[in-house]
Amino acid sequence: MSGQNVARFLEKEKINYIAFDVDSEIVKQAKLAGDNVMKGDISDSNVLLTAGILRAKAIVISFSNYESIKKILKIVKKINPKISIIIRTVKEENVEKFKKLGASEVI
């Protein structure tokens, strides 16, 4: 499930969200499509705090870089230990690893 698919699902369910990407062109195209997306690196705690991570009920991580996801998991859990963290992985062997690191759900 890509980030765009997650956004469509959330919109359909009328759930507020903010999406992030580090690629300016992707952000530009997503904004043109009407998505609520901002340029930013969510491995930066200041980006997460500005986005409202303290109020958020969940975060969905939908890219596939294992080391980046691991870093983000630790940061998010430190800032907001009660938040649900949903991770999309393409590698079956990472499911249990992410759960041990604190992911609520791995798909």
Side-chain angles (χ1 to χ4, degrees):
M1 179 179 284
S2 72
Q4 289 99 350
N5 290 338
V6 172
R8 298 297 164 266
F9 172 79
L10 295 173
E11 288 167 355
K12 183 178 175 186
E13 297 297 316
K14 298 184 179 4
I15 298 171
N16 293 330
Y17 72 92
I18 302 171
F20 285 90
D21 203 296
V22 294
D23 186 314
S24 297
E25 188 58 34
I26 290 173
V27 171
K28 180 181 172 184
Q29 294 302 317
K31 284 186 175 195
L32 288 172
D35 294 333
N36 186 17
V37 63
M38 301 173 73
K39 184 174 187 312
D41 180 354
I42 63 168
S43 67
D44 179 341
S45 59
N46 290 321
V47 171
L48 292 168
L49 289 166
T50 300
I53 196 75
L54 293 172
R55 297 184 317 274
K57 294 181 176 135
I59 183 170
V60 178
I61 303 171
S62 64
F63 55 88
S64 58
N65 183 292
Y66 176 80
E67 290 301 321
S68 294
I69 293 171
K70 192 166 92 170
K71 179 180 177 184
I72 292 164
L73 259 168
K74 290 177 183 178
I75 293 167
V76 169
K77 279 299 198 185
K78 183 176 180 181
I79 295 171
N80 185 347
K82 295 182 180 183
I83 195 169
S84 293
I85 303 172
I86 303 154
I87 297 173
R88 182 210 38 121
T89 185
V90 293
K91 295 184 178 178
E92 185 69 29
E93 65 265 19
N94 289 338
V95 172
E96 287 306 313
K97 291 177 186 176
F98 287 139
K99 285 186 177 181
K100 284 180 183 175
L101 289 169
S104 309
E105 195 66 46
V106 182
I107 52 175

